[in-house]
Each structure stands twice: as C-alpha cells, then as structure tokens.
Amino acid sequence: MDFRTPVIIPESTFRIDHSTGIMLFGSCFSENMGSKLLEYKFQANVNPFGIVYNPFSVAAVVNRLLSNRNFSGTDLIFHNGVYQSFMHHGRFSHPDKNKCMENISRMFAEAAAFIPRTDVFFITFGTAYVYKLKSTGEVVANCHKFPPDTFIRERLTVEAIVKEWSGVINTISALNPAARFIFTVSPIRHWKDGAHENQISKSILHLAIDELQEMFTSALTYFPAYEILLDELRDYRFFAEDMMHPSGVATDYIWERFCKTFFRRETQDAISEWNQISRSLNHVPLNESTENYRRFLKQTLQKLILFRQNHPRIDCRRETEELTKKIKQ
C-alpha cells in the first residue's frame, strides 16, 4: 500500500553541474534552493535585491540588471528611521544612508557581473497581487510598512504576466541563446490575502507559467515545488511552526527531488562527498588543543585536497586556506 501521491516530474532536457552559472530570483523558495546550491558549492547568485514576491517586481529586478543601471541616493526613501528602496527587501534598509547605498550597490554590481555568465535562471513567483504607488503607479517589491493608503492593491492577469515575462525571456535569449529557465510557484500560502484569494492568485501564476512554457518550449521548464509540498507531502508535520512555510525536512525533500531532476549522477556524487567533508569542517571539538583533534584536522585537509583534485571545477580554496591556517596555529 502506498500512502502518498508522488508527483511525477518529467526528465529535464538540460542538466546542471558545478560549472553552471545559476541566478535565482523571487520569493522565499528561491532563497531556500539558493542556500542549498551555495552550501554545495555551486556557482549561484541568489536574490540580489532580496526576496521579491510578485512577477512584475521580479521582472523589474531582472531588467534593471540587464540594463546594468545601478542605484543612487535619489532611489532611496526615508521612512520609520531608515533608508530603503521600494525595489529591495527590508534586509537592505539601514539608518545610515551611505551604508544602505553601499549594500545595494555592492549586491547589484556582483549580480550585474554574474548575468553574462548565467546559464540557468531560476524564477519563483509567490503572488499575483501587486501594490502600486498612488503617486507614480509604480509596482513596488516591498511596502516597507508604509500606510496602506500609499498604495493601490491590484491582482495581475495571466495575460499581463505572460506579456511582461515573454519580453524578459526574449531579451535574455537574444544575449544568450543557450540560457535556460526554471520556473516555480512558491508553495508558501499568502494567508493574509484570504484562503480563496490566495488560491486564485496561485492559479493565475500556474496558468501564466503554463503559457510561457508553451511559448518557450525548449528553453523553459516548470519545477513542481508547489505540488510536491501541497499534494505529495500534504501533512502539517512538513510545515514550520507558522503552518505556512515548509519545514526543514520538507525543504530537504524538495531539494532531493530537484537534484534528481536536474543533476547528473556524478554531480549528485560530488554533493554527497562534499556533504561529508562539510560535516568535518563544521565539527566543534570539546578540546581544540588535543593531538587527536590535530590529527583529525590533517585527515580532513587530505580529504579536501583529494576532493579538489577529483572535482577541479568546484572552488574550495577558502576552506583549504582556513583549515591550513587552523592546523598551523
């Protein structure tokens, strides 16, 4: 007897390995997958503007990077004692204008430099609802707790999302015909919208991605994170305490499904090897001054050197330098 309804994921037409440049944009799920990719030493750039939820704001972020138009102090607003940008997540907000600008500019420069060597764009849509500034009509990525009457709340249509994103995909494809796109719908429910409105919102996102997939058949694929959590796992034990976000176990499971869908066997083997080395690197001994611990460090260094020889495309110079320094202390 099978007590689950497993989601069948079609085999991917392209593969990802440690030489693949990956950029991730969108809601919390992109952050979850991005942190996994970075943890396992992939070449990834994750949400350079912070978490962004709606398709129009994600498109605006990508277009801004494609045009390589960095930010200046005039793009910032001062509210509740901090400087911030309507295109950025609150993690960039800062009481010091120069610090805020420094963080935004640094992340932007890194992402703009990464764009030309990006092979795969991973996009997660969170909601079809947008907030527009009454003063300009601009869709904001984050309301930053401004008074509600500052904005107009609207729900995007399937047609509007498809039009916006077909333009983005065409622009990227013109620059890099080999670029590939992975789209997902965030499994995290936007409960503040209401149960019914959240369902309508997610449906619009699904329909829009489906139309884009029909338009860009060879370049765009859909990864069913939404279906895996809500249909296959379908149990509150796979949710965090807020009953909305996936638990760590659920995130790990979805990551495993992602690996099997997009990674070759040798890439999965490299991940497994690195996982063992990473555990050794993060080991905290009871006493660092013992000879046993020094021997353990030297053994770990040898494993790390061998790993670098077997996987030259994986950059672990930082870990090697830190471990060598620790042994010499």
Side-chain angles (χ1 to χ4, degrees):
M1 297 176 68
D2 193 348
F3 294 100
R4 290 189 307 148
T5 52
V7 174
I8 306 301
I9 307 177
E11 185 177 350
S12 174
T13 57
F14 63 91
R15 294 298 184 194
I16 293 172
D17 58 33
H18 283 87
S19 65
T20 306
I22 312 165
M23 288 199 82
L24 299 94
F25 300 94
S27 71
C28 302
F29 185 70
S30 279
E31 294 269 310
N32 291 340
M33 292 297 101
S35 64
K36 290 286 188 184
L37 288 165
L38 292 173
E39 178 184 349
Y40 292 111
K41 309 300 286 181
F42 285 84
Q43 300 179 46
N45 185 282
V46 185
N47 269 343
F49 287 50
I51 297 169
V52 182
Y53 297 99
N54 74 79
F56 270 30
S57 290
V58 181
V61 164
V62 177
N63 282 328
R64 184 89 180 217
L65 288 169
L66 290 170
S67 67
N68 199 14
R69 184 165 59 91
N70 209 328
F71 290 80
S72 66
T74 58
D75 294 303
L76 301 181
I77 46 170
F78 187 75
H79 181 66
N80 284 341
V82 293
Y83 289 91
Q84 50 207 347
S85 157
F86 277 129
M87 285 192 72
H88 290 79
H89 187 263
R91 78 183 191 205
F92 289 90
S93 302
H94 201 283
D96 186 322
K97 185 177 182 179
N98 292 329
K99 286 285 187 183
C100 178
M101 201 63 249
E102 179 184 324
N103 292 335
I104 287 174
S105 295
R106 176 175 49 80
M107 293 292 287
F108 183 93
E110 290 176 5
F114 198 90
I115 280 262
R117 55 192 181 93
T118 298
D119 305 294
V120 176
F121 292 84
F122 185 99
I123 311 294
T124 302
F125 292 159
T127 178
Y129 289 98
V130 298
Y131 289 85
K132 292 182 176 180
L133 281 170
K134 284 184 178 179
S135 56
T136 64
E138 172 194 359
V139 174
V140 302
N142 196 301
C143 294
H144 295 304
K145 298 183 179 179
F146 270 68
D149 61 4
T150 309
F151 310 98
I152 300 171
R153 180 175 179 265
E154 293 182 0
R155 191 171 66 210
L156 298 174
T157 64
V158 172
E159 293 75 19
I161 297 171
V162 170
K163 181 180 178 181
E164 185 74 14
W165 269 93
S166 59
V168 174
I169 293 170
N170 281 325
T171 301
I172 292 173
S173 298
L175 297 171
N176 178 10
R180 295 293 179 263
F181 302 84
I182 302 171
F183 276 74
T184 64
V185 172
S186 171
I188 300 165
R189 292 164 292 169
H190 287 234
W191 211 242
K192 290 181 180 179
D193 290 332
H196 181 58
E197 287 191 313
N198 170 75
Q199 202 70 4
I200 293 172
S201 168
K202 298 292 187 183
S203 299
I204 289 171
L205 302 178
H206 280 289
L207 289 169
I209 292 173
D210 188 61
E211 284 200 24
L212 288 168
Q213 198 170 10
E214 289 183 9
M215 294 172 67
F216 303 96
T217 307
S218 60
L220 193 154
T221 189
Y222 173 72
F223 180 71
Y226 181 93
E227 292 81 354
I228 292 172
L229 183 61
L230 298 182
D231 292 322
E232 181 172 340
L233 299 182
R234 205 199 313 175
D235 191 302
Y236 277 112
R237 65 187 162 138
F238 294 112
F239 287 81
E241 291 181 0
D242 64 0
M243 300 300 164
M244 298 295 165
H245 289 75
S247 67
V249 171
T251 300
D252 289 344
Y253 179 75
I254 296 172
W255 166 253
E256 285 182 12
R257 299 297 304 275
F258 182 85
C259 292
K260 290 177 181 177
T261 303
F262 294 105
F263 299 162
R264 293 187 178 89
R265 182 71 259 170
E266 54 265 33
T267 304
Q268 296 183 50
D269 289 343
I271 288 173
S272 180
E273 288 179 48
W274 178 253
N275 194 36
Q276 295 178 25
I277 293 173
S278 181
R279 282 203 295 266
S280 296
L281 292 172
N282 293 324
H283 173 67
V284 179
L286 292 174
N287 191 330
E288 294 186 358
S289 61
T290 64
E291 188 58 37
N292 282 342
Y293 181 59
R294 289 184 61 80
R295 192 180 304 115
F296 170 79
L297 291 178
K298 291 178 181 178
Q299 291 171 350
T300 302
L301 180 60
Q302 289 304 312
K303 292 178 183 177
L304 190 55
I305 292 171
L306 182 61
F307 180 84
R308 290 182 65 185
Q309 292 173 349
N310 293 335
H311 306 284
R313 291 182 297 185
I314 302 178
D315 184 6
C316 16
R317 287 172 296 179
R318 178 180 59 81
E319 289 83 1
T320 305
E321 290 171 2
E322 290 177 355
L323 191 54
T324 303
K325 183 178 179 181
K326 187 178 288 188
I327 292 172
K328 292 180 178 179
Q329 286 177 349

